Amino acid sequence: MSTEPMSARRPEQVAPAPAAPVQAALNGTYPEPLWMQARDSLVSRIAVGEVKPGSRLPPERELCGMLGISRVTLRKALTALVEDGVLRSAQGRGWYVTAAERKEWPNTLESFSETAHRMGLLATSRVLRRESGPASFDEAEAFQIAPGAPLFRLERVRMLDGVPIAVDLALLPSDIAVGFDEVDFTVRSLYDTITGAGFELAQADTTIEARPADAALAGHLAIAAGTPVLDMRQVVRDRAQRPLLSSSIRYAGDRYRLRTSFMRNPGL
């Protein structure tokens, strides 16, 4: 099972509106209705890469001015593009270009960075916090250590090709995380850092459940507050079954697909 799954679809990425106009105002005398012309104009922009998959269109007022049409006409064009699967609407946030088709993730234990590299994508992170602090009772139980023992906490927004995919909170015992304060986790893989310190990540126990995104998480992932997200919690162990890493990775449900296999017991 993949321990750091990535988006099968690129998420909504807020990108600045292009400085140049989309094109000249549409032709009101042309036989094709204005909303259809507007739809085709936007499709053309997307096709040539002026608006990237996952990015947000310019504001409606700006689009109306560029195309010389009313907001009612523009809305009709945008709604048609949503029905065609070209755009998606995020309430209160604007209109976004949908992304490439969904991909599935392998049933293996590999890092976010490893999976990204295998799929030809660039994995980066924005570090939200890194700190050491005492383990709570639940954390101590997970790591089989005494309550209050020091743990290293690393929280990051994980990104693919600059697009936010997930928010990842990782906890490690302090003896494993020696020197991790000096590591550049904007580009460095946590798995690589752990194995580079001489520890082996062999097996993970995983649970996945749906939860509504709070305002902070929604802001990091560019989704609306209350949107269902998948919270994947893992405890990763070495071959001697010592817990080395505990993580919670939260991402929007339409950015993740887990592929697994089941075998039926012949005795049943």
Side-chain angles (χ1 to χ4, degrees), residues 66-267:
M66 291 174 178
L67 298 170
I69 57 177
S70 69
R71 181 163 291 187
V72 172
T73 301
L74 176 66
R75 282 285 181 92
K76 190 171 182 178
L78 295 173
T79 300
L81 290 175
V82 170
E83 293 173 354
D84 292 341
V86 177
L87 298 179
R88 61 182 300 178
S89 173
Q91 186 174 6
R93 303 183 69 90
W95 304 82
Y96 293 81
V97 180
T98 56
E101 65 181 85
R102 181 180 294 270
K103 298 177 183 177
E104 294 183 344
W105 293 87
N107 203 24
T108 57
L109 178 58
E110 64 181 18
S111 74
F112 187 96
S113 299
E114 289 167 341
T115 307
H117 178 73
R118 180 171 50 78
M119 301 184 75
L121 301 170
L122 176 63
T124 57
S125 299
R126 177 161 55 88
V127 176
L128 300 177
R129 63 168 167 156
R130 66 163 88 195
E131 61 189 15
S132 295
S136 67
F137 283 99
D138 289 341
E139 293 166 349
E141 183 178 3
F143 283 105
Q144 301 169 15
I145 58 178
L151 289 177
F152 178 77
R153 290 173 170 81
L154 175 65
E155 187 171 20
R156 298 167 290 171
V157 178
R158 310 306 306 274
M159 296 178 286
L160 296 176
D161 290 347
V163 178
I165 301 296
V167 174
D168 180 357
L169 173 60
L171 288 77
L172 303 90
S174 60
D175 65 309
I176 295 174
V178 174
F180 283 22
D181 284 331
E182 307 301 322
V183 177
D184 181 6
F185 284 113
T186 62
V187 294
R188 176 72 173 172
S189 164
L190 179 58
Y191 271 36
D192 285 350
T193 306
I194 294 171
T195 56
F199 300 94
E200 181 183 15
L201 300 167
Q203 174 256 326
D205 296 325
T206 306
T207 61
I208 303 173
E209 59 184 324
R211 298 176 181 272
D214 59 24
L217 178 61
H220 292 314
L221 295 180
I223 59 177
T227 299
V229 299
L230 291 178
D231 186 353
M232 186 175 74
R233 296 175 181 266
Q234 287 191 320
V235 176
V236 186
R237 295 180 167 84
D238 63 14
R239 296 195 183 278
Q241 293 300 297
R242 179 193 174 184
L244 302 180
L245 168 68
S246 173
S247 67
S248 171
I249 308 173
R250 296 166 294 164
Y251 43 90
D254 65 353
R255 302 177 194 176
Y256 172 83
R257 176 180 289 174
L258 172 67
R259 186 184 70 216
T260 188
S261 300
F262 296 95
M263 298 184 65
R264 183 168 175 79
N265 189 329

Side-chain angles (χ1 to χ4, degrees), residues 30-80:
Y30 194 73
E32 192 173 54
L34 285 176
W35 74 266
M36 289 186 178
Q37 295 183 52
R39 178 199 60 192
D40 294 344
S41 173
L42 292 171
V43 168
S44 296
R45 288 188 71 218
I46 293 167
V48 300
E50 290 182 29
V51 184
K52 303 295 184 182
S55 64
R56 187 176 64 184
L57 291 181
E60 289 185 13
R61 178 177 297 181
E62 186 175 338
L63 287 173
C64 288
M66 291 174 178
L67 298 170
I69 57 177
S70 69
R71 181 163 291 187
V72 172
T73 301
L74 176 66
R75 282 285 181 92
K76 190 171 182 178
L78 295 173
T79 300

